[in-house]
Amino acid sequence: MTNNKLALTQGNTERAIIIGGSMGGLLTASVLSEYFTEVLIIERDELPEKPMDRVGTPQGFHPHRFTPRLKIILERLFPGYNDVLLENGASELLNKYVCQINQYGKITIGPNPRKDTACSRALMEWTIREYVKKISNVRFLVKHDVIGLQTTADHTTVTGVHLRDRTLKQEKTLTADMVFDISGRGSKLVPWLQQFGYEVPTPDRLKVALAYSTRRFRIPAHLAEKWDVIRIAGHPSTETFTGVLSTIENDVAEVLLYGLGGRYPSTKPDEYLQEAARLSNPLIAEVIQELEPITAPRGFRVPELIRQRFEQMERWPAGLLVLGDAFCNVDPIFGQGITMASVEAEMLEKCLQEQKKQPVSNFEQYALKRIQDAIEPGWWLNCAADLAWTGVEYVGQPLKGIDFASKYLEIYLKHATVQQNLKQYGMYWAVNTLLFSPRVLFNPEMIASVMASASTKDRQWYNEQTQGTGQFTDLQLEERIPSFSRANFIELSPQR
Ligand SMILES: Cc1cc2nc3c(=O)[nH]c(=O)nc-3n(C[C@H](O)[C@H](O)[C@H](O)COP(=O)(O)OP(=O)(O)OC[C@H]3O[C@@H](n4cnc5c(N)ncnc54)[C@H](O)[C@@H]3O)c2cc1C
């Protein structure tokens, strides 16, 4: 073992250990396989031979969608994955429709010209895992809990992990040149670091008190051919739930009800149907009447979202990094979680490439900062959306321009919906699913054009924001909101 720093200038380093074999771990394993002789994924669950939900990912029953950004990254890391998903029975979205309803109106997108796919989280993870299993230098060690980190005597370097074998009930230690904690929301990294005397900053917390209630239904053929997604957005002013109906493999529809700020949808079948009927539009309730329930509604509660600030630590052990939900977890309703983990994995890849060309001595701290750069836009957008709801509270380091962002995004959404401007509407979702920088929506020209058709009251607000000039300058906007210039986005030349 090279014991400590990435010896990338002298070729590959030896062993990387990944804690957690879920989507974040799999994506990262694919990246690391180019840089380490061996990548060992340690997973506490037995990994099922067929697509199945498992204990370690309790969110797996709930809808997980592919965002455009995630599709791009998956196609690069796992070429042909979409066709493989189709072969594995995923629902094909060619010619299907997405219907988005919010309090300003209805937007119908489609028919979809591409053979995109939708599937359960279990099928998504299983398909990607099959790809990763074929990477010759990646191994899985399943039914093992990582119970702590092994370090040098002075705790400045992580040299491996302590494990418990779930079958034999025995403990052991495995050494590694680099350990990656990708063990999700339940990560124990903070106490592990504290145990070695590291001062861990208080994380930023978005106290969302959110809940999902999801029920699965069998879809008759005439409906299966039509819908990809029906999304009815709840709104802070009416405190209504959001409802989403989407399709997965085997002609199954997943219907979720979602509330935040302590508004929890029911998991009792009768109440669930009543709540679906009280969404701000009857479409989902009408469609449900034609479907056959195949499960009871199942709940999932998230009291708070956490963004760790590991990148701000003055001391951080060599040989350790963290990605995915263990670093920052976001509101699931925006479908960003796996995309964020994949964008972080891409950022790590960039750091490893740079390290190979021009090594820095504090690689881990540098990489943590860059991963945090990748996290920032998603977290900021989550805060802007969720803080509009009563009952949601933010406790953490200051968020630049969040009230402004919250109000402007609402006006933007209203503008795009009322005008039936599919391009602008698409841009809203492309930003909210981390394809493009928020700056695509937040630039002086775009803001001015949106505000030109706003209500008198909203234009008054805008006038106050621009101190009567009627348009922001680049500099004023720079002071108002983060630049996101260090995050990694798909390049789009904004129409400016
Ligand atoms: C209700 C809900 C709905 C969601 N919907 C979406 C969606 O539509 N789209 C989307 O992109 N994201 C969604 N997400 C988020 C998404 O599930 C995660 O962001 C994503 O799985 C990436 O997480 P991860 O790999 O970091 O951690 P996880 O998926 O949580 O995986 C952690 C893994 O680590 C293992 N593990 C944990 N501790 C140990 C240990 N000590 N030793 C060994 N193994 C360990 C676990 O068994 C698990 O396999 C949703 C989340 C929730 C809660």
Side-chain angles (χ1 to χ4, degrees):
M1 290 283 148
T2 45
N3 186 28
N4 173 9
K5 296 282 176 242
L6 283 174
L8 290 171
T9 42
Q10 296 128 41
N12 285 9
T13 55
E14 295 186 14
R15 180 191 281 162
I17 283 183
I18 293 177
I19 311 171
S22 170
M23 286 304 292
L26 296 172
L27 284 151
T28 309
S30 161
V31 165
L32 295 181
S33 65
E34 299 285 325
Y35 294 88
F36 288 82
T37 310
E38 181 193 0
V39 179
L40 180 64
I41 299 176
I42 303 177
E43 169 55 51
R44 61 157 62 128
D45 277 355
E46 182 162 24
L47 294 172
E49 303 222 331
K50 296 248 154 22
M52 268 172 64
D53 287 332
R54 56 190 179 82
V55 180
T57 49
Q59 71 272 40
F61 178 77
H62 300 273
H64 277 68
R65 305 280 305 173
F66 293 106
T67 65
R69 182 76 186 273
L70 180 59
K71 286 192 267 184
I72 293 169
I73 297 174
L74 288 178
E75 187 55 44
R76 185 174 73 78
L77 295 177
F78 311 109
Y81 83 94
N82 196 59
D83 291 339
V84 175
L85 274 172
L86 280 174
E87 282 161 24
N88 291 341
S91 159
E92 186 184 310
L93 304 181
L94 181 71
N95 291 329
K96 291 193 184 174
Y97 289 84
V98 171
C99 174
Q100 296 250 13
I101 299 170
N102 60 44
Q103 71 157 12
Y104 309 114
K106 176 171 163 182
I107 293 248
T108 306
I109 303 151
N112 187 339
R114 291 178 306 275
K115 281 188 164 186
D116 289 333
T117 48
C119 63
S120 62
R121 152 90 196 211
L123 178 55
M124 182 191 289
E125 185 183 303
W126 181 83
T127 303
I128 298 303
R129 191 163 60 241
E130 290 301 299
Y131 268 91
V132 174
K133 276 161 104 176
K134 289 187 190 125
I135 305 175
S136 60
N137 59 339
V138 177
R139 281 198 305 126
F140 286 82
L141 180 61
V142 299
K143 292 169 75 178
H144 280 74
D145 274 302
V146 174
I147 52 172
L149 299 172
Q150 186 199 45
T151 68
T152 48
D154 62 3
H155 308 312
T156 58
T157 301
V158 170
T159 54
V161 294
H162 302 298
L163 317 169
R164 186 178 299 118
D165 182 328
R166 289 196 153 198
T167 315
L168 301 175
K169 316 275 181 236
Q170 283 169 0
E171 292 186 10
K172 58 182 167 190
T173 299
L174 280 177
T175 53
D177 298 277
M178 192 96 193
V179 172
F180 294 82
D181 178 23
I182 317 179
S183 62
R185 288 166 191 252
S187 162
K188 300 282 183 298
L189 189 56
V190 171
W192 290 344
L193 286 166
Q194 286 168 335
Q195 166 202 342
F196 296 133
Y198 287 91
E199 269 182 49
V200 182
T202 311
D204 297 341
R205 290 192 149 87
L206 187 60
K207 300 188 172 187
V208 277
L210 70 78
Y212 267 45
S213 181
T214 299
R215 190 171 198 189
R216 288 187 179 173
F217 299 83
R218 177 98 43 230
I219 326 173
H222 71 283
L223 285 176
E225 279 162 21
K226 181 166 185 195
W227 291 117
D228 168 13
V229 175
I230 303 171
R231 185 180 201 276
I232 301 173
H235 196 267
S237 61
T238 46
E239 302 202 343
T240 37
F241 289 138
T242 290
V244 184
L245 181 150
S246 51
T247 53
I248 55 170
E249 63 271 20
N250 303 325
D251 290 338
V252 170
E254 301 172 313
V255 179
L256 74 84
L257 299 179
Y258 156 95
L260 75 171
R263 299 163 192 87
Y264 300 134
S266 177
T267 51
K268 294 187 183 142
D270 290 350
E271 288 175 9
Y272 182 88
L273 286 180
Q274 288 159 13
E275 287 170 355
R278 285 203 297 273
L279 292 171
S280 68
N281 181 288
L283 185 55
I284 287 182
E286 285 165 11
V287 174
I288 285 180
Q289 281 179 0
E290 297 193 50
L291 311 179
E292 175 203 342
I294 51 174
T295 69
R298 242 190 250 179
F300 196 105
R301 290 191 182 187
V302 179
E304 56 184 15
L305 308 172
I306 302 277
R307 177 198 195 185
Q308 296 288 356
R309 304 309 301 248
F310 297 128
E311 83 289 355
Q312 295 178 347
M313 287 167 64
E314 274 177 29
R315 289 172 56 245
W316 176 267
L320 176 69
L321 278 174
V322 47
L323 291 95
D325 281 13
F327 202 150
C328 175
N329 44 75
V330 285
D331 184 339
I333 200 65
F334 305 112
Q336 295 166 336
I338 300 174
T339 306
M340 199 181 244
S342 65
V343 172
E344 292 169 31
E346 278 205 330
M347 189 59 107
L348 172 67
E349 188 177 26
K350 272 190 189 172
C351 294
L352 288 164
Q353 280 163 358
E354 287 169 24
Q355 182 71 359
K356 206 161 186 169
K357 282 193 206 130
Q358 224 174 1
V360 291
S361 59
N362 56 347
F363 171 77
E364 291 82 351
Q365 281 175 302
Y366 173 72
L368 284 175
K369 285 194 174 68
R370 299 306 314 274
I371 294 168
Q372 185 64 267
D373 290 335
I375 288 170
E376 187 188 19
W379 179 259
W380 188 78
L381 288 162
N382 266 238
C383 292
D386 288 353
L387 283 167
W389 290 78
T390 53
V392 178
E393 196 193 338
Y394 175 75
V395 184
Q397 298 180 23
L399 287 164
K400 199 172 170 187
I402 213 68
D403 293 339
F404 169 73
S406 196
K407 172 92 179 160
Y408 169 65
L409 285 171
E410 185 67 27
I411 298 170
Y412 182 100
L413 185 65
K414 183 176 174 183
H415 170 85
T417 312
V418 171
Q419 311 266 332
Q420 291 285 296
N421 187 330
L422 285 183
K423 192 171 169 208
Q424 282 192 355
Y425 194 82
M427 210 71 96
Y428 176 88
W429 278 104
V431 165
N432 273 289
T433 50
L434 313 178
L435 186 66
F436 301 136
S437 165
R439 283 310 185 107
V440 169
L441 307 184
F442 288 84
N443 63 70
E445 291 79 9
M446 177 65 89
I447 297 174
S449 86
V450 168
M451 295 312 300
S453 64
S455 68
T456 312
K457 196 168 156 221
D458 289 342
R459 279 210 306 276
Q460 215 172 342
W461 167 81
Y462 177 56
N463 223 21
E464 284 162 20
Q465 304 300 309
T466 59
Q467 292 160 349
T469 61
Q471 179 150 346
F472 285 114
T473 61
D474 282 317
L475 188 65
Q476 281 170 330
L477 216 52
E478 215 57 59
E479 285 165 1
R480 191 57 77 101
I481 61 161
S483 70
F484 305 111
S485 59
R486 291 174 64 79
N488 45 345
F489 285 110
I490 303 296
E491 287 300 322
L492 173 88
S493 45
Q495 292 168 335
R496 307 190 48 184

